[in-house]
Amino acid sequence: MASSDNFQSSHSPHSSSLSGETIPPPNLCMQKFRLYETLSNFYMIGRDKSRTYWRVLKIDRLDPSELNVLEDSATYTERECSDLLRRINEGNKSTGGLKFVTTCYGIVGFIKFLGPYYMLLITKRRKIGSICGHIVYAISKTEMIPLPNSSVRSNIINSKNENRYKKLLCTVDLTKDFFFSYSYHIMRSLQRNMCDPETGHVLYETMFVWNEYLTRGIRNQLQNTFWTVALVYGFFKQDTLEISGREFILTLIARRSRHYAGTRYLRRGVNDKGRVANDVETEQIIFEDVPEGLPIPISSVIQNRGSIPLFWSQETSRLNIKPDIIVSKKDQNYQATRLHFENLVKRYGNPIIILNLIKTQEKKPREAILRQEFANAIEFINKDLSEDNRLRFLHWDLHKHFHSKATNVLLLLGKVAAYALALTGFFYCQASSTLRPEDCLKWPPTDDSVKGSFSATVHAEYDNEDANDLERKPSDGINISDENHSAKSPRLQKGVLRTNCIDCLDRTNVAQFAYGLAAIGHQLHSLGIIQHPSIDLDDPVANDLMQFYERMGDTLAHQYGGSAAHNKIFSARRGQWKAATQSQEFFRTLQRYYSNAWMDAEKQDAINVFLGHFQPQQGMPALWELRSDQHYGTGRLGDDDTRSFIKRSFSDGNILRDSSTPMSAPNAKNEKFSNPGLPDRSGEGSKAFCESSPEISTTETESDISLSRYTPTMPRKQLFVDMQRERCAESHHIYYSEQGDSFSCSNFVDLDWLSSSANSCEEEPYERPISTRCRSSITNSPIDGLSSENVVNGVIVGETTASASDWASTSIKGFN
């Protein structure tokens, strides 16, 4: 190889540190790149936005089976870089010289199937927003380039299986719903960025960076992230809105977890590591555009959605538009469920507030049984937690309330949201115009010492992802100011609202809008834009926010479910013609069914390859030759891809329950949906969430599980009565309201207040203490003779009804 192909001999005389070499800043962000090639190497030239710093990366093209990258340690000027390229061209003239390949805007990563490595590049980008001057981009075009030159490529590069893997990878459309930023850590919340600055590898190891696997090779070799971009998958929308004559910038971000990621029926529930399907973090950011040099008042609030953290599934059926719900009983100690909530505490702190929206009234119990199992799990886990750190929950059948003429769903959800916001708080500070790491807030260490609350010192014992995920506690007396601008004391969010329905798409999105609406009032108030911390549903800002959440809901639904979201409540709020809404919903149901039945298997395969959960190997079965989503160690299978194999039974949509002994339908009436006599927790303890490379995991085989159909023969009134009687005397601090034949249950929301028309919204729940009017016993409740489909944790609560309030004109018409 010509000497000019070697970095050490190609430096200009001015490249030595003794000769005045330009030293790059520690937070250097290279944003534009040019790729060149010789017969033996690729050369990538990168520069920063100001064209001040130039660096060179060399990628070997002679070894078809290995990834070899080398970074020049020198930093060049533009002229020095041009001289270097000229010398490389002269040194390689005998083999064709140096040729320009493409301009690009970052490396997505490197991937290998059965043949050589390929390099994935972003060749076109578009600006979609900015946060305090840091631009956020989406991808407009990508290119996949094989690394070996034509003389050393093996025939396998054009083989049938190799081409099929390449085509499969390309079905992961990087131009849709992926976004990144060079200078702002978009994979982290604003609060995390302001309070806990991190750089380098730790950012790629978080759960929201989807190309962590693809970039692992180059990051490990170079020990930096200058050349790659961290891709977040989900949703990003930003716009300038106005209220009371003042403009502000609203940003809505949804970050989808890469753990246990996939499609609707192929990813349900929780895996052994506590990762759940359809896990999405939603962040709502508000700030004002202020003159340069002044601190930027900025606020954010985080909420979460994710599949019910139990072992359950639904198998895709081309014969049944409503597949069976399959509930596994393999984890009777709810260890995976416990791991999930421990992870949420490590990410956000306490309290964890669960808003469960699944059905309680069904002709054939489906969601109701899953709801009861979830209630069992929460109760079981709470027994080991202190009062302050217990999981807060509200089981509330949104579908039933929506179809009740007396119920205003958005009003009631708004009240619940206000309760939750009072418990978690939200983030507010005055940031510098650059959000530089050195400007981050210096919070005193937390003093949490009780079980379930994690201090900074405790976090050091966990892996990087979870250790850096805590939304820390606010401290009094902290102020940020400059000589010309006095700032308010910052506030921190501690805890999170976790919302779920069955798919965590349609109903969940409505509830998340309600929470966003409750939060935006307080955010605007903290910025000094409005005088009172509430926004009326009839305010134009509320309508703008609803459009943001509706757009986000459609995007997330397409990703996970294959169609836009069902938006009946939003459509009704807008006054859309009922027939038009029904037609739209019917079409979306068919679209989702088609996608789930015919498209999702290939989509899941593509995701597994992209995330590194399946790594092809020569001599092993190809991905498409395996049973659907069951790899059993073929190639390499990632941790988060484990899933118990459960035999499919085509039926009319009843529930299948796993059991150690088959249960026949005639004996079903003796089945109780509680867990009496559950054994003590396993002594193994909670496992840390490992971020290591994918490994082969064992899964249950078909013979490990015995299935039986459960068809209730008892009246619906009696379904939960036995369980309820056993627990009546043990239920403490559960809020309930007895006003009808349908029920909700909570241990943090006062349902009497929620359902009352007298309190309405006149008493702002965020400002007042949580009511202490909880019932400590329900032994006098008239259990016999009441419908029992909404009985959870042994508590009967009544239908919540709402009348007119200062959220005016919110009735929903035409839905019976």
Side-chain angles (χ1 to χ4, degrees):
M1 183 173 63
S3 62
S4 56
D5 243 0
N6 188 300
F7 285 147
Q8 281 74 14
S9 63
S10 62
H11 293 172
S12 71
H14 302 290
S15 296
S16 169
S17 59
L18 299 177
S19 306
E21 177 189 351
T22 304
I23 304 299
N27 57 342
L28 173 65
C29 296
M30 294 193 295
Q31 300 191 15
K32 191 170 183 178
F33 308 85
R34 290 173 65 86
L35 184 67
Y36 300 85
E37 66 175 354
T38 64
L39 189 64
S40 55
N41 291 291
F42 281 113
Y43 291 91
M44 183 170 284
I45 312 298
R47 65 166 175 83
D48 66 341
K49 186 177 181 180
S50 64
R51 305 176 70 96
T52 303
Y53 305 101
W54 300 69
R55 305 199 69 168
V56 182
L57 181 72
K58 183 172 72 172
I59 306 168
D60 179 61
R61 302 188 66 197
L62 297 178
D63 189 340
S65 60
E66 297 294 333
L67 175 63
N68 297 304
V69 293
L70 178 64
E71 183 181 35
D72 192 336
S73 60
T75 301
Y76 295 89
T77 65
E78 185 171 4
R79 174 174 292 183
E80 290 170 345
C81 201
S82 297
D83 290 342
L84 172 63
L85 293 176
R86 178 177 51 80
R87 289 197 299 273
I88 292 176
N89 179 56
E90 291 173 353
N92 287 273
K93 280 189 175 179
S94 61
T95 55
L98 182 72
K99 300 176 182 178
F100 172 74
V101 179
T102 186
T103 297
C104 60
Y105 298 94
I107 298 175
V108 172
F110 295 85
I111 192 168
K112 183 179 188 295
F113 306 118
L114 301 173
Y117 272 93
Y118 299 86
M119 177 167 53
L120 279 68
L121 302 175
I122 299 171
T123 54
K124 286 186 180 180
R125 67 185 182 187
R126 63 186 185 276
K127 177 181 176 181
I128 57 176
S130 66
I131 299 175
C132 296
H134 298 266
I135 299 176
V136 179
Y137 295 96
I139 300 173
S140 296
K141 188 177 180 181
T142 61
E143 189 170 349
M144 185 165 64
I145 300 173
L147 292 191
N149 65 54
S150 56
S151 64
V152 296
R153 292 177 191 169
S154 64
N155 293 332
I156 201 169
I157 194 171
N158 294 317
S159 69
K160 180 180 178 180
N161 282 357
E162 182 79 1
N163 286 330
R164 187 166 178 178
Y165 277 121
K166 287 188 286 185
K167 184 179 178 180
L168 184 66
L169 183 71
C170 289
T171 62
V172 179
D173 190 352
L174 296 179
T175 66
K176 290 181 61 178
D177 309 328
F178 284 89
F179 50 93
F180 66 95
S181 176
Y182 299 106
S183 54
Y184 180 77
H185 303 321
I186 195 68
M187 75 292 292
R188 307 168 89 223
S189 69
L190 177 68
Q191 179 170 317
R192 294 258 318 281
N193 283 328
M194 290 299 299
C195 302
D196 188 16
E198 292 283 356
T199 59
H201 285 272
V202 67
L203 299 177
Y204 281 77
E205 292 166 359
T206 60
M207 63 192 297
F208 300 119
V209 177
W210 272 58
N211 58 332
E212 184 278 332
Y213 165 71
L214 296 178
T215 60
R216 193 182 299 162
I218 183 174
R219 288 185 292 109
N220 287 342
Q221 290 191 38
L222 302 182
Q223 291 300 303
N224 67 51
T225 57
F226 290 151
W227 303 90
T228 57
V229 295
L231 296 184
V232 178
Y233 185 44
F235 176 81
F236 185 99
K237 181 174 173 59
Q238 185 177 82
D239 204 355
T240 300
L241 306 180
E242 182 178 325
I243 187 171
S244 303
R246 291 179 62 176
E247 291 187 343
F248 66 94
I249 298 171
L250 169 64
T251 307
L252 188 63
I253 305 172
R255 305 176 180 96
R256 181 177 293 281
S257 171
R258 63 182 168 87
H259 299 302
Y260 205 45
T263 57
R264 184 184 181 203
Y265 288 141
L266 297 176
R267 285 293 180 272
R268 287 294 213 201
V270 69
N271 69 7
D272 291 332
K273 291 182 174 292
R275 307 296 190 182
V276 295
N278 200 19
D279 189 347
V280 181
E281 175 184 274
T282 299
E283 182 175 24
Q284 179 175 294
I285 301 176
I286 306 289
F287 64 93
E288 272 195 293
D289 197 3
V290 299
E292 187 175 352
L294 289 179
I296 302 173
I298 190 166
S299 173
S300 76
V301 67
I302 292 285
Q303 54 182 317
N304 175 265
R305 71 172 75 186
S307 189
I308 296 173
L310 302 169
F311 288 101
W312 67 282
S313 62
Q314 283 180 284
E315 295 287 328
T316 306
S317 170
R318 297 184 180 182
L319 303 178
N320 185 2
I321 200 170
K322 203 172 185 180
D324 298 324
I325 293 177
I326 304 169
V327 182
S328 171
K329 301 294 291 183
K330 74 172 189 176
D331 187 19
Q332 295 195 11
N333 287 331
Y334 303 109
Q335 185 65 12
T337 309
R338 188 188 306 273
L339 283 173
H340 172 68
F341 287 117
E342 286 178 355
N343 178 249
L344 285 181
V345 172
K346 283 180 269 186
R347 285 157 59 185
Y348 304 111
N350 277 314
I352 302 300
I353 305 170
I354 302 161
L355 178 55
N356 180 24
L357 304 173
I358 61 179
K359 296 177 183 178
T360 58
Q361 289 186 336
E362 301 170 289
K363 292 181 180 179
K364 296 179 180 179
R366 293 166 44 84
E367 294 186 15
I369 297 178
L370 190 58
R371 162 176 157 158
Q372 183 55 46
E373 189 69 14
F374 193 17
N376 292 343
I378 294 170
E379 181 184 42
F380 187 79
I381 292 170
N382 274 344
K383 289 179 180 178
D384 293 330
L385 299 176
S386 67
E387 184 77 23
D388 291 339
N389 296 311
R390 285 177 184 165
L391 302 172
R392 316 294 177 91
F393 63 86
L394 169 61
H395 300 290
W396 196 75
D397 186 343
L398 186 148
H399 184 270
K400 175 186 70 66
H401 286 287
F402 174 64
H403 286 85
S404 170
K405 293 182 179 180
T407 302
N408 185 321
V409 171
L410 290 178
L411 170 63
L412 295 185
L413 285 174
K415 290 184 175 183
V416 172
Y419 256 96
L421 194 64
L423 293 172
T424 65
F426 61 95
F427 177 69
Y428 164 80
C429 76
Q430 297 210 1
S432 71
S433 58
T434 58
L435 286 182
R436 294 171 299 181
E438 58 267 28
D439 296 326
C440 288
L441 305 180
K442 303 300 189 293
W443 301 104
T446 61
D447 57 359
D448 298 329
S449 58
V450 294
K451 182 179 179 181
S453 187
F454 298 82
S455 68
T457 54
V458 174
H459 275 281
E461 301 174 7
Y462 292 86
D463 60 275
N464 286 335
E465 171 184 340
D466 295 325
N468 290 318
D469 275 334
L470 177 64
E471 302 289 0
R472 286 189 242 175
K473 214 175 183 179
S475 299
D476 296 331
I478 302 174
N479 290 281
I480 304 173
S481 63
D482 65 16
E483 57 184 351
N484 297 316
H485 191 89
S486 178
K488 297 178 182 179
S489 296
R491 311 177 68 155
L492 291 181
Q493 177 175 342
K494 182 70 184 295
V496 73
L497 173 65
R498 182 199 192 276
T499 307
N500 72 266
C501 48
I502 285 293
D503 295 323
C504 302
L505 298 177
D506 312 317
R507 290 168 281 182
T508 295
N509 205 59
V510 174
Q512 290 208 327
F513 160 68
Y515 186 74
L517 184 61
I520 198 173
H522 290 280
Q523 291 178 284
L524 292 173
H525 181 257
S526 69
L527 268 60
I529 296 178
I530 59 177
Q531 293 184 345
H532 301 286
S534 62
I535 297 292
D536 194 283
L537 266 171
D538 289 328
D539 194 291
V541 167
N543 184 63
D544 291 334
L545 186 69
M546 185 173 71
Q547 292 179 15
F548 268 64
Y549 276 86
E550 188 172 7
R551 176 82 175 273
M552 179 185 74
D554 287 343
T555 300
L556 297 179
H558 270 293
Q559 293 167 8
Y560 182 65
S563 77
H566 293 288
N567 293 316
K568 289 185 289 186
I569 294 177
F570 291 151
S571 298
R573 173 65 195 163
R574 287 194 300 267
Q576 183 171 312
W577 186 34
K578 183 177 179 180
T581 300
Q582 291 175 335
S583 176
Q584 174 182 279
E585 297 303 301
F586 178 71
F587 173 76
R588 290 180 178 180
T589 298
L590 291 181
Q591 185 181 16
R592 191 172 292 185
Y593 164 69
Y594 174 80
S595 178
N596 298 159
W598 278 273
M599 308 296 292
D600 280 2
E602 183 178 88
K603 186 176 177 181
Q604 184 68 58
D605 286 345
I607 291 172
N608 289 340
V609 169
F610 186 88
L611 295 176
H613 295 328
F614 180 87
Q615 299 170 29
Q617 291 185 5
Q618 287 278 11
M620 302 297 289
L623 181 59
W624 45 86
E625 295 174 354
L626 305 175
R627 287 181 290 179
S628 176
D629 203 29
Q630 299 301 313
H631 305 146
Y632 292 109
T634 301
R636 284 176 58 85
L637 178 61
D639 300 345
D640 299 306
D641 202 46
T642 58
R643 179 170 174 270
S644 299
F645 177 73
I646 302 177
K647 186 177 180 180
R648 180 76 177 89
S649 174
F650 294 103
S651 74
D652 55 0
N654 289 340
I655 290 186
L656 298 181
R657 294 180 61 89
D658 304 342
S659 60
S660 56
T661 57
M663 176 178 64
S664 60
N667 295 326
K669 62 182 179 181
N670 296 320
E671 179 78 6
K672 294 180 183 179
F673 295 95
S674 61
N675 280 314
L678 280 174
D680 293 335
R681 238 186 345 169
S682 170
E684 296 177 0
S686 301
K687 298 179 181 179
F689 289 77
C690 180
E691 290 298 328
S692 60
S693 59
E695 60 187 30
I696 299 174
S697 302
T698 59
T699 59
E700 293 183 79
T701 61
E702 182 176 341
S703 60
D704 291 329
I705 297 177
S706 177
L707 296 177
S708 59
R709 181 188 308 280
Y710 175 73
T711 305
T713 58
M714 67 181 75
R716 288 183 293 168
K717 289 183 179 181
Q718 296 299 116
L719 186 58
F720 298 117
V721 165
D722 291 338
M723 170 278 300
Q724 171 183 288
R725 285 174 170 164
E726 292 174 4
R727 294 182 181 170
C728 281
E730 300 177 2
S731 299
H732 297 284
H733 306 294
I734 304 295
Y735 296 99
Y736 67 95
S737 176
E738 193 174 319
Q739 297 182 7
D741 61 352
S742 57
F743 313 97
S744 298
C745 178
S746 176
N747 67 351
F748 83 98
V749 174
D750 184 343
L751 295 176
D752 279 343
W753 173 83
L754 180 63
S755 62
S756 67
S757 59
N759 286 336
S760 186
C761 291
E762 296 173 6
E763 190 175 13
E764 178 58 54
Y766 190 83
E767 303 297 334
R768 73 183 183 94
I770 301 299
S771 172
T772 58
R773 295 180 295 125
C774 63
R775 312 318 202 256
S776 60
S777 173
I778 62 164
T779 54
N780 295 323
S781 297
I783 298 172
D784 297 326
L786 286 179
S787 175
S788 58
E789 289 151 324
N790 292 289
V791 177
V792 178
N793 285 348
V795 180
I796 293 185
V797 290
E799 176 177 324
T800 56
T801 58
S803 60
S805 72
D806 59 353
W807 283 6
S809 304
T810 56
S811 61
I812 301 175
K813 301 177 181 179
F815 285 79
N816 299 320

